[in-house]
Amino acid sequence: DAGVIQSPRHEVTEMGQEVTLRCKPISGHDYLFWYRQTMMRGLELLIYFNNNVPIDDSGMPEDRFSAKMPNASFSTLKIQPSEPRDSAVYFCASSWGPVQEQYFGPGTRLTVT
Amino acid sequence: TQLLEQSPQFLSIQEGENLTVYCNSSSVFSSLQWYRQEPGEGPVLLVTVVTGGEVKKLKRLTFQFGDARKDSSLHITAAQPGDTGLYLCAGAYAGGTSYGKLTFGQGTILTVHP
């Protein structure tokens, strides 16, 4: 199995631009999580899905952030418009069942200038 | 909101030394996981503890779950440079609005010098 796949690995963009991060979870996993990691705030859960349905988006910082999961093998996290404070590493993780081992992707390092 | 406090935040030791990392909460966990993260990669699960008082060993790593299931510790014996990384604890809380998700501690950055 290829594991969780994220793209791009690195993204540098200017303030105000739209950013789309992509994730392909492990086949058969029914939970998908989006996290953001910074030195100041650590690893924060943004949103998670169960069977493609968003369950809890209370961690999404504001309306500029949105996430979709159109099918079991693909999810996107979109930031529009982006701001410098959005600079962080964004991780996607998937698991089989709730609170089971989460398998993380390699992350997308986002820099907003 | 459940808070999970991890300490120490930074640990810099020499090869061969022992160390302990702590993870504490005021709430009861249904289970607790420990992850290790290396630079440029995502966290990788080391162990899951479920039962109060449980002790699990993974080579030189010993994981303990408190009797009341509110705290956990990770002890590394004779640390090696390869143990260097970010160690994260993550708690799962039973039921309520937190069901289905993990709450991560801030992490402990461990550096083991040769």
Side-chain angles (χ1 to χ4, degrees):
Chain A
D1 199 323
V4 175
I5 299 172
Q6 291 187 248
S7 66
R9 291 295 310 274
H10 302 273
E11 177 80 40
V12 180
T13 191
E14 292 183 348
M15 183 174 65
Q17 296 298 306
E18 178 180 294
V19 175
T20 300
L21 311 182
R22 297 172 176 80
C23 175
K24 176 177 167 56
I26 292 174
S27 177
H29 282 188
D30 57 351
Y31 279 79
L32 184 139
F33 306 83
W34 280 101
Y35 291 91
R36 177 172 67 177
Q37 187 175 43
T38 61
M39 281 296 294
M40 289 297 294
R41 300 174 70 91
L43 195 63
E44 301 174 279
L45 177 65
L46 300 176
I47 184 172
Y48 75 99
F49 297 81
N50 176 217
N51 291 324
N52 314 335
V53 176
I55 303 300
D56 185 347
D57 65 354
S58 60
M60 297 285 261
E62 46 199 274
D63 292 345
R64 297 185 297 107
F65 285 69
S66 62
K68 293 182 180 179
M69 192 165 185
N71 57 64
S73 59
F74 184 66
S75 178
T76 59
L77 178 68
K78 187 176 293 187
I79 308 173
Q80 166 64 18
S82 58
E83 296 183 1
R85 59 189 167 130
D86 301 331
S87 297
V89 181
Y90 291 81
F91 287 103
C92 173
S94 68
S95 68
W96 188 87
V99 301
Q100 300 302 309
E101 174 181 3
Q102 293 187 12
Y103 292 79
F104 284 77
T108 295
R109 180 173 293 277
L110 173 65
T111 304
V112 183
T113 60
Chain B
T1 304
Q2 289 93 350
L3 269 178
L4 208 157
E5 295 183 2
Q6 199 172 329
S7 63
Q9 201 172 347
F10 301 95
L11 207 44
S12 179
I13 61 172
Q14 293 296 126
E15 182 175 1
E17 292 183 15
N18 302 332
L19 65 112
T20 303
V21 177
Y22 299 93
C23 183
N24 296 288
S25 174
S26 57
S27 301
V28 175
F29 301 114
S30 60
S31 65
L32 189 135
Q33 300 176 6
W34 284 93
Y35 288 79
R36 179 167 169 262
Q37 184 180 11
E38 298 194 31
E41 299 180 8
V44 176
L45 182 71
L46 295 172
V47 78
T48 301
V49 286
V50 179
T51 307
E54 184 176 1
V55 177
K56 281 193 174 179
K57 292 193 175 185
L58 193 67
K59 295 183 182 178
R60 294 174 294 99
L61 279 60
T62 301
F63 304 86
Q64 206 155 6
F65 203 15
D67 291 340
R69 305 204 329 265
K70 292 184 177 182
D71 58 272
S72 181
S73 64
L74 157 61
H75 182 79
I76 301 179
T77 303
Q80 299 177 0
D83 296 326
T84 294
L86 174 66
Y87 289 81
L88 295 158
C89 62
Y93 296 94
T97 58
S98 298
Y99 183 74
K101 63 184 184 184
L102 297 174
T103 299
F104 280 82
Q106 284 288 89
T108 296
I109 298 175
L110 171 64
T111 305
V112 183
H113 302 280

